[in-house]
Amino acid sequence: MRYAIIADIHGNLEALEAVLKDIQGQAVGKTFCLGDIVGYGADPQECMKRVRAVADLVVMGNHDAAVSGKLGLQYFNSYARDALVWTSGMVSAADLKYLGELPLMEKVDGFVVVHSSLYRPEVFPYLLTAVDAQLCFHLMDKDERVCFIGHSHVPFAFSLDEKEIGVSREAEVTLEDGTRYIVNVGSVGQPRDRDSRASYAVYDSEAASVETRRIGYDVVAAAEKIRKAGLPELLAERLFEGM
Ligand code: ZN
């Protein structure tokens, strides 16, 4: 089975549409979303509609949790907070309810998906270092060869064999027998690795491979909508920088 795994869309409809179009050419059987459908971007409601229409499985991101009242705004910086307050007024009551009822993690078909980490997913810690990765690896079941995450908006892969933890920033990762992986698929709507293109991953469970794909989209249009909505200027500017 081939899976498209998308994360951190953040109300960026231009980026989401470009990614969904690319997915159509990838012969995937299922599309999973790792959360943060909303927050930061100017099209939260439209993104909700698209994701709910295409995703076979969705887990909760910290912005999804905040906008639906499950996580306090004190956990966010002022830009994120302003955007969350604005977003909560733009999303339908039915979609807010949906966001608030999403699971934090799901185990499926020999792998696991979570927004932040398997270690205390309810407080959404960042998984950035080998130590963070170790905590997450410990919580993977024996039959799970890969854990897909989002949250930092930076695509990378940690691997753990019987000896040590490795890290890769290659776009293609081949899953070796006896090694387990944590793969961050990057962000659709607000990449932060100095590449402005949208990021998502295709996991092929038969071929045991993960490909991170980068898709260009109309950044100018997405940024313009953020400005028109009166959201913080920084949220528009950072899309061009990929930061
Ligand atoms: Zn995010």
Side-chain angles (χ1 to χ4, degrees), residues 8 10 36 40 62-63 115 151 153 192:
D8 296 283
H10 285 294
D36 278 4
Y40 298 131
N62 52 320
H63 288 250
H115 184 67
H151 197 33
H153 301 199
R192 293 180 192 160

Side-chain angles (χ1 to χ4, degrees), residues 10-31:
H10 285 294
N12 185 335
L13 183 62
E14 285 70 25
L16 177 61
E17 286 190 329
V19 163
L20 293 179
K21 195 171 168 211
D22 189 73
I23 288 172
Q24 284 175 3
Q26 291 299 313
V28 302
K30 286 183 180 171
T31 297

Side-chain angles (χ1 to χ4, degrees), residues 152-167:
S152 72
H153 301 199
V154 177
F156 62 79
F158 280 107
S159 58
L160 176 65
D161 60 18
E162 59 281 359
K163 287 195 228 103
E164 58 186 6
I165 287 192
V167 65

Side-chain angles (χ1 to χ4, degrees), residues 9 13 37 53-54 70 87 123 135 146 157 161 197 205 209 225 235-236:
I9 294 138
L13 183 62
I37 302 168
V54 301
K70 301 274 166 177
T87 300
V123 295
L135 292 169
V146 56
D161 60 18
R197 295 174 299 167
S205 60
S209 66
K225 283 186 186 172
L235 299 178

Side-chain angles (χ1 to χ4, degrees), residues 160-177:
L160 176 65
D161 60 18
E162 59 281 359
K163 287 195 228 103
E164 58 186 6
I165 287 192
V167 65
S168 162
R169 297 193 188 279
E170 299 294 318
E172 298 257 5
V173 175
T174 303
L175 308 184
E176 310 282 346
D177 284 343

Side-chain angles (χ1 to χ4, degrees), residues 25-71:
Q26 291 299 313
V28 302
K30 286 183 180 171
T31 297
F32 291 175
C33 174
L34 308 187
D36 278 4
I37 302 168
V38 302
Y40 298 131
D43 280 312
Q45 184 63 70
E46 275 304 307
C47 289
M48 285 301 306
K49 199 169 134 191
R50 300 288 200 288
V51 170
R52 291 189 68 170
V54 301
D56 297 284
L57 188 155
V58 182
V59 292
M60 184 189 280
N62 52 320
H63 288 250
D64 308 323
V67 87
S68 58
K70 301 274 166 177
L71 185 67

